[in-house]
Amino acid sequence: MAPLVVHPGRVVPGGAGRAAPDDRRGPAGGRGVSRGPRPLTARQEAVMAVIRSSLAEHGHGPTVREIGARVGLSSTSSVAHQLGRLEARGLIARTGRDWSTCVLVEEPPARRPGLRSRGPGGGVDG
């Protein structure tokens, strides 16, 4: 008989070297209902605003230190983390190695539901 592993608030079958089943997951082992993309945090919004204004005023992105000074972050590592999160979300991209080469990524135009693009000759007339 397998020993019982005691977790805070519950007892689950298992044992040393075996993973206990996670009863918080759905029937297929997934994490449940998928949600849409999370909104930007206030700090991410502020970083985006600094980038937008720098691109409009100077034609290039701000340095990490400039962003930190305008957003209120003294650590360049914290600024780089925020920039990395924005890059991972596809909102900014770097054209070079440095963060000062970042540009805003154009969002594709929203498609209206029910309309499909047809190739050449695939329209009503063709």
Side-chain angles (χ1 to χ4, degrees):
M1 176 175 207
L4 293 178
V5 177
V6 179
H7 290 280
R10 62 186 176 139
V11 176
V12 294
R18 292 193 302 178
D22 190 354
D23 56 357
R24 292 174 291 176
R25 295 176 183 247
R31 292 195 179 257
V33 177
S34 73
R35 297 182 183 110
R38 292 182 180 174
L40 294 178
T41 64
R43 183 158 289 152
Q44 289 170 341
E45 289 283 356
V47 170
M48 288 293 290
V50 169
I51 293 170
R52 279 189 201 103
S53 68
S54 179
L55 288 171
E57 292 173 18
H58 307 291
H60 59 82
T63 65
V64 172
R65 290 183 192 274
E66 289 171 344
I67 294 171
R70 291 181 63 185
V71 173
L73 291 171
S74 59
S75 168
T76 57
S77 177
S78 297
V79 175
H81 171 76
Q82 295 298 328
L83 291 169
R85 301 300 301 157
L86 292 170
E87 187 178 40
R89 290 181 74 151
L91 298 173
I92 62 173
R94 289 186 274 185
T95 58
R97 184 172 180 261
D98 297 327
W99 281 114
S100 60
T101 64
C102 71
V103 294
L104 298 176
V105 175
E106 296 285 327
E107 291 188 22
R111 295 181 59 189
R112 295 191 340 208
L115 297 179
R116 287 184 280 186
S117 174
R118 297 180 188 247
V124 177
D125 299 327

